[in-house]
Amino acid sequence: MEKHFTDSRVKGVSTGTTILAAVFDGGVVIGSDSRASMGGEFVSSKTINKVIQVHDRIFCCMAGSLADAQAVTKTAKFQLSFHSVQMENPPLVIAAASILKELCYNNKDELQAGFITAGWDKKKGPQVYVVSLGGMLISQPVTIGGSGSTYIYGYVDAKYKVNMTREECLQFATNALALAMGRDNVSGGVVNLVVITEAGAEHIVIPGDKLPTFSDE
C-alpha cells in the first residue's frame, strides 16, 4: 500500500548529521552522532538517536528531515514485521533496504530523507545499503552520509580496510565520527554505535568527552 507523507522541508527539524556504516569480518558497525538542527544553524536537540532498529539484526541511520525520516522508518518497521510473518523467517537486509527505497521513491516529491541500512542475515552475512534522497539503492562495504560526511571522505578512503576485526572497525567508526563532529557545526553530542553479528546486536554509546581527540582540535 502506497503511503504519502506531509512535506516538512519548510523550517523543519533536520538531523544535521554524520552517519556511517562499515562491514568487518563477521559483522557490521552502524553509527551516528546525536544532534538535530533547524535551518542548518540552530541545534534543536543534542540527544536524538538516529540509529533505528527495524528488525532483530537490521538497523538504519537517518539523515535529512527528522519528521520525514521518522515517518519512513515507522512505516518500514511495520511493513518489515508483516513481511517476516508472511515468510515465517527473519527478513533479509536487502528486504529492509528495498522497503525504505520504495517509500522514498514513491514519495520523492514530498520527502527529504536518506538512509543507511545495515545488518546481518543468513543468506549474505553482514551488509550495508545506501538509500538516497530520491530512492536510489546502492550496496557498499562502507559508506558515510550527512552534513559532517564531507569532512571525512579522505579519512574513510585511507583507513577503511576489508576484513577488519571488530575492534578495528569500532575504532575506525569512532575516529571517523569524532573527526566529523569536530568540524561540522551541526554534528555533535554523543556517538551511538551498534555492532551487528550473527549473535545479535550490541549497542554502544560514547559520550562526547570520551571521544578521541586529534592534534588540530
Side-chain angles (χ1 to χ4, degrees):
M1 180 177 66
E2 185 173 328
K3 188 173 181 68
H4 294 280
F5 301 93
T6 303
D7 189 341
S8 62
R9 286 178 283 185
V10 180
K11 295 183 179 179
V13 177
S14 167
T15 50
T17 185
T18 305
I19 57 178
L20 173 149
V23 172
F24 64 89
D25 186 18
V28 60
V29 172
I30 184 169
S32 76
D33 72 312
S34 65
R35 276 188 185 172
S37 63
M38 296 183 69
E41 297 174 356
F42 172 68
V43 176
S44 57
S45 175
K46 297 180 181 180
T47 57
I48 294 292
N49 183 11
K50 306 168 197 175
V51 185
I52 307 300
Q53 186 171 18
V54 294
H55 210 267
D56 294 346
R57 294 180 180 86
I58 307 174
F59 289 73
C60 70
C61 275
M62 51 192 186
S65 165
L66 185 59
D68 290 348
Q70 288 177 331
V72 170
T73 52
K74 184 177 180 180
T75 304
K77 286 173 70 174
F78 171 78
Q79 292 191 14
L80 198 62
S81 177
F82 186 67
H83 170 75
S84 179
V85 171
Q86 285 182 312
M87 300 300 292
E88 298 183 345
N89 276 303
L92 300 178
V93 181
I94 185 63
S98 297
I99 288 172
L100 288 169
K101 180 204 74 171
E102 288 297 321
L103 290 169
C104 289
Y105 180 77
N106 291 336
N107 298 278
K108 58 182 178 293
D109 294 330
E110 291 82 30
L111 292 178
Q112 191 179 34
F115 301 89
I116 294 173
T117 305
W120 187 97
D121 62 47
K122 289 184 178 180
K123 186 174 182 179
K124 290 188 176 180
Q127 301 149 70
V128 171
Y129 296 94
V130 181
V131 179
S132 69
L133 292 177
M136 181 173 65
L137 179 63
I138 305 170
S139 175
Q140 294 180 318
V142 60
T143 189
I144 54 178
S147 57
S149 66
T150 56
Y151 300 98
I152 57 172
Y153 275 101
Y155 176 84
V156 171
D157 288 343
K159 297 296 184 180
Y160 178 75
K161 296 178 178 61
V162 178
N163 294 326
M164 287 193 292
T165 65
R166 177 185 182 277
E167 290 71 25
E168 288 172 338
C169 195
L170 273 173
Q171 192 61 60
F172 161 79
T174 303
N175 287 348
L177 290 169
L179 283 165
M181 290 161 64
R183 294 285 186 180
D184 182 29
N185 67 320
V186 288
S187 293
V190 305
V191 165
N192 290 299
L193 296 170
V194 178
V195 182
I196 312 161
T197 63
E198 182 179 6
E202 178 187 356
H203 298 252
I204 299 170
V205 178
I206 306 175
D209 60 353
K210 302 297 183 183
L211 290 172
T213 56
F214 301 92
S215 59
D216 62 339
E217 294 184 355

